[in-house]
Amino acid sequence: MNFQSSNLSSSLALPPGNLGLPWIGQKQKVFKNPQNFMEEVYQKYGPVSKTRFLGKNFIYFQGYEAIKFVLTNENKYFTYSQIWRNYQKIFGQNDITILAGKEHRDRQKVLAKTIKSKSLNNYINIILDLSNSYFLKWMNFDYVDLYSEIDNYTLDLVLKLLLGIDYASQSEINNYLKDMRSGLNTIPLAFPWTKLGRALKSKNKLFNQFEEIIFRRKKENHFGSDVLGILLTVQEKMNQELTAREIAEQMVNLLSLGRKELSSALSSFLILTSEHLDVLKLLKIEKEKLDISETLSLDKFKKMVYLEQVIKEVLRLAPPVSGGLRQVTEDCSFQGFRIPKGWHVYYYISSVLQDPEIYKKPEIFNPERFNSTNAEDKKKPLCYIPFGGGARECIGKEFAYLVIKIFISALLDNCSWKFKENQDLTINKFPVARPAHPIEVCFTPK
Ligand code: HEM
C-alpha cells in the first residue's frame, strides 16, 4: 500500500533531496531557472523530494500519483500554507486561501454564486464591449506590447465586473495593487520606507475606495448586477451581516486571485497560436458556422467546442499558475517516505500536464488531444489540473473560459494580427506564466 498516516510514518525516511545551506537552502538555484530546477529534481529524486527554501523545509510533489495524494487529502493531511509571512497583513484575515474546513467551504459557496453559471450571463456584454474598445485602440498603433496591454485589459475588465469601476488601469488602483504585490515576500517590517509599509498604505487606500462604493450601494439600497451586487443580494438573503471591510476583502480576493492568470492565459493563447496558423483557420471556420442572429449567451459560447479545445491546450502547455502551496497538518507517508507535520508542500502542475503517459507527445501543441474521441484530459480523475483540483480547485474556472472565449472570438471577428518578426516568444512559467520579453504585435482591421 502506498499511503499511510500516524505513528507508523515517523519510523520512515524523509524523501530524498538536498536541503542546501541552512537558511538560503536552494534559493539561488530555484530563482535562476525554476522550471529547469523542478524538472531536474523530479528526474533525480522522483515524485517526492525534500528541499529548503527561504528558511523553510519543503517537500515537492510531482507527477500524477503524488499530486493526486495532495489534492485528495486536503483537510486530512494538508491545509493552506502560511509561507508568505505578510499575506494576511496585506490581504486580510478573511482571504479564502487562508481559510480551512467549513469556513472555507462556506466562503467558496458564496463567492461561486457571483462568478459561476447563470450570473455569468450578466457579464457577457461588458466583456465584449471592453474587448472591442481595446481592439480599436490597438489598431491605432503600429505595434503594441502584448502582455502589458492585455494586463491593462484584464485589470479594467475585472474591476468593471466586480465593482463597476471604469478604466482602473489608468487610475491609482493599478499602483496600489503593484505596491501590495511587492510587499508580499519581503522583510516583515512596516515602516513608511519599507516595501511592507508601502503595501499596507496602498492596501488601506484601496480598501477605503471599495468600502465607499459598498456603503453607497447599501445606503441607496441599489445593489447593482455586478459581482458586488450579486454578493450583497446573496448575503442579505442569507442574513449574513458582514461589515463593508469584510465585503471589500472578498472583492480584493477575487481580484488578486484571477486577474494575472487571465492576463497569462490570453497572452499565451496569442503567442502559441501565432505559430499554428492552421489552428487559427479552424477557429475562424468554427465561428463562421455559428448562427450570428442568436443572442450572445453562455449556451452560445458552449457551442465553440474547438475554441475550448485550443484554450485547454494553451493552459496545458503554459499553465498560468505553476503550482500550489500547502502545509502538512499531520504526519503521513507517501510511497514509503515520511511527510512530516509542519513542513511546507509545493505541487508542480506541469509535471502532470507534461506526463507522456497521459498526454501523447506532450511537448507538441495539439488541440485535437481534447476532442471527444481522444479526450486525453478525461483519462483519469485529476489528470488535467491547470485550475488545481480537489477542495481548493479554482472557482473562477468557468468565468475564465468565458472571458477567453469572448475575447478571442471578438478578436477573430474584428482584427487580423501579426507578430513582429524574429522575436523571442519564450514564456516563463514562474510564478505566473508570462512572456519572458516584451512581444510586439500589430493589429489591423479584418
Ligand atoms: C486561466 C485562469 C485561471 C487559472 C489557470 C487559475 C488557476 C487556479 C489554481 C491552480 C488554483 C488553485 C491553487 C491551489 O491549489 O492552491 C486557483 C484557485 C482560485 N482561483 Fe483561479 N485561476 C484562474 C482564474 C481565476 C479567476 C478569473 C478567478 C476569479 C474571478 C479565480 C479565483 C480563484 C479563487 C477564489 C481560488 C481559491 C479557491 C480556494 O482556495 O478555494 N481564478 N486558481
Side-chain angles (χ1 to χ4, degrees), residues 104 108 257-258 261 320-321 326 347 386-388 392 394-396 399-400:
H104 174 248
Q108 269 186 336
L257 284 167
E261 289 73 7
V321 178
R326 299 288 186 273
Y347 75 86
F387 294 93
R392 288 186 186 271
C394 177
I395 55 169
F399 175 82

Side-chain angles (χ1 to χ4, degrees), residues 287-304:
K287 273 239 75 193
E288 277 154 20
K289 282 193 194 146
L290 290 176
D291 177 2
I292 47 167
S293 63
E294 194 185 329
T295 24
L296 286 179
S297 66
L298 269 185
D299 289 340
K300 181 161 181 181
F301 285 104
K302 279 192 187 131
K303 290 181 189 153
M304 297 183 183

Side-chain angles (χ1 to χ4, degrees), residues 71 96-97 104 108 111 115 253-254 257-259 261-262 265 315 320-321 323-326 347 349 385-389 391-397 399-400 404:
L71 296 180
I96 187 169
T97 59
H104 174 248
Q108 269 186 336
L111 288 185
I115 51 167
N253 230 205
L254 289 176
L257 284 167
R259 208 266 289 186
E261 289 73 7
L262 277 179
L315 300 180
V321 178
L325 290 164
R326 299 288 186 273
Y347 75 86
I349 286 178
I385 53 163
F387 294 93
R392 288 186 186 271
E393 189 184 22
C394 177
I395 55 169
K397 179 166 137 183
F399 175 82
I404 305 170

Side-chain angles (χ1 to χ4, degrees), residues 60-79:
Y60 294 141
F61 280 73
Q62 301 205 61
Y64 179 72
E65 288 299 337
I67 292 183
K68 191 172 88 178
F69 180 62
V70 175
L71 296 180
T72 54
N73 281 302
E74 182 76 40
N75 295 327
K76 190 173 177 195
Y77 304 137
F78 304 104
T79 190

